[in-house]
Amino acid sequence: MNPAPHPRPAPGLPGRRGLLGGLLAGAALAAVPALAAPARAGARPAPAPAGPRATRPLLLGTYTSEGGGGTGIGTAAYDTGTGAITSGPVITGVENPSYLAPHPSGATVYAVAEQGAGAVTAVAVGPDGTYEVLGSRPTGGSGPTHLSVHPSGRWLLSANYTSGSVAVHPIAEDGSLGERTDLVTHTSPPPGPGQGGPHAHQIVTSPDGGHVLAVDLGTDTVYTYALDASAGTLTEVSRAALAPGSGPRHLAFHPGGRFAYLACELDNTMVVCAYDPATGALTPGPGQSTGTGSGVSYPAQPVVTGDGAYVYLANRGHNSLTRYAVEGDGAVLRLLDTVPVGGDWPRQLALSPDSSLLFAANQRSSTVTVFGVGPDGSLTGAGAPFPAPVAVCVLPLP
């Protein structure tokens, strides 16, 4: 079934999926030569695999209902030293998997079905590198764009963008999903200027596991919930108001657990937020520059290196990556520079498990670009872009 259109909340803002004209039709990931090794002066310290250099799995999210999109979840492998990507088969039977998230055990991966009748799908990851679709469950909302697994491994959390709600599903021992245990719709405060309604864009758990935070672009609010670990229900305990019309989209926590970095896509800012683990309260600071100049560059998503030293931000309209140094034990972001992403409309970023590589999923150019991360946080391109149909999510697995 083709998903219903997802209009954006402000006049002139591009549609949820961006402009897809000019993309080549293609049903599967194309095989390409291995990427060249990045020219780096050293690498971020990390445990190195013994013996020959390792390759690890890489999964790719797409839209199956778009022209030029994929036919399911793309699989690939990446070289942990060079970032070189080689393509694999497609996991079919998964509708519009625009966002992917792993189970803490590594035995299962979950995908949203971003469409009118939203759903979430469980996929088992075999020890031999095979994948098996375990089934799907409805989210109770429309247009889910994000999901994450609670650190306990027992609950799947998802955010329905179009209907402005968040859902909870139980996870069985085999990784499959049970019937939804909760659905919370954001009915207040009123939507921001021109935003039309609530638009839940992300749902994550705080590093200490104590609270669940939902970022709503439409209401300019981050909601904090307590999760009942037995019943799988959410109870709101706090909410943080962002600037009217700012459009908060995605946040990423500092590993210290006391600060989070929030990308606001409508006013082109990054916001440092203090977080209180005891109460779940998030306190936003002033909006900071993304380094992309005047106009709106639709910042999409921040990621934080494992050591908490650097933050990177994807800027879709500017087709760039912003680099920040983290100071004050996480309380301060210092803008360093921006670098071209090497693709069009970087929708999502992901760091390799050791933070030595950065991957960018470029929606409009149907590519994934890879960067080596230097010891000073600098980014060095790692070869030619990897073709991936309507690439909207990239997930490197450990």
Side-chain angles (χ1 to χ4, degrees), residues 1-2 62 64-65 72 93-98 111-115 119 121 136:
M1 180 182 74
N2 288 335
T62 185
T64 59
S65 61
V94 186
E95 298 286 331
N96 294 304
S98 65
V112 299
E114 190 182 333
Q115 53 197 19
T121 300
S136 301

Side-chain angles (χ1 to χ4, degrees), residues 38-336:
R40 292 189 295 159
R44 178 178 298 279
R53 192 165 50 222
T55 59
R56 299 302 305 155
L58 189 75
L59 299 181
L60 301 160
T62 185
Y63 288 118
T64 59
S65 61
E66 295 286 1
T71 56
I73 299 172
T75 73
Y78 72 96
D79 186 300
T80 58
T82 68
I85 302 176
T86 53
S87 63
V90 174
I91 305 168
T92 57
V94 186
E95 298 286 331
N96 294 304
S98 65
Y99 201 87
L100 310 170
H103 191 277
S105 69
T108 319
V109 169
Y110 301 91
V112 299
E114 190 182 333
Q115 53 197 19
V120 285
T121 300
V123 179
V125 181
D128 57 354
T130 59
Y131 300 90
E132 178 188 0
V133 177
L134 300 178
S136 301
R137 296 285 186 178
T139 61
S142 58
T145 60
H146 188 267
L147 79 175
S148 61
V149 181
H150 188 266
S152 67
R154 296 180 54 203
W155 306 103
L156 182 69
L157 312 164
S158 56
N160 295 302
Y161 175 86
T162 307
S163 55
S165 58
V166 293
V168 184
H169 288 80
I171 298 175
E173 288 189 8
D174 66 354
S176 62
L177 298 171
E179 292 291 344
R180 188 179 66 250
T181 54
D182 204 0
L183 180 70
V184 178
T185 301
H186 298 155
T187 57
S188 67
Q195 293 173 335
H199 295 293
H201 214 306
Q202 185 196 31
I203 184 164
V204 295
T205 305
S206 58
D208 64 346
H211 297 93
V212 171
L213 291 86
V215 180
D216 196 298
L217 187 150
T219 62
D220 298 319
T221 301
V222 180
Y223 303 83
T224 300
Y225 297 98
L227 172 68
D228 186 312
S230 298
T233 54
L234 298 171
T235 301
E236 184 180 332
V237 296
S238 181
R239 63 178 62 174
L242 280 298
S246 59
R249 178 184 173 96
H250 271 220
L251 65 76
F253 273 95
H254 185 272
R258 299 305 300 263
F259 298 94
Y261 312 111
L262 179 60
C264 294
E265 75 168 71
L266 298 184
D267 70 358
N268 194 34
T269 60
M270 180 78 110
V271 177
V272 178
C273 304
Y275 173 72
D276 183 349
T279 64
L282 194 73
T283 305
Q288 299 182 207
S289 171
T290 62
T292 56
S294 60
V296 180
S297 64
Y298 307 110
Q301 180 203 11
V303 293
V304 186
T305 55
D307 59 7
Y310 298 96
V311 172
Y312 303 100
L313 175 67
N315 302 298
R316 289 168 294 168
H318 197 245
N319 286 332
S320 67
L321 303 172
T322 303
R323 180 174 63 121
Y324 298 93
V326 179
E327 299 174 342
D329 293 327
V332 176
L333 289 184
R334 179 166 56 89
L335 177 64
L336 296 176

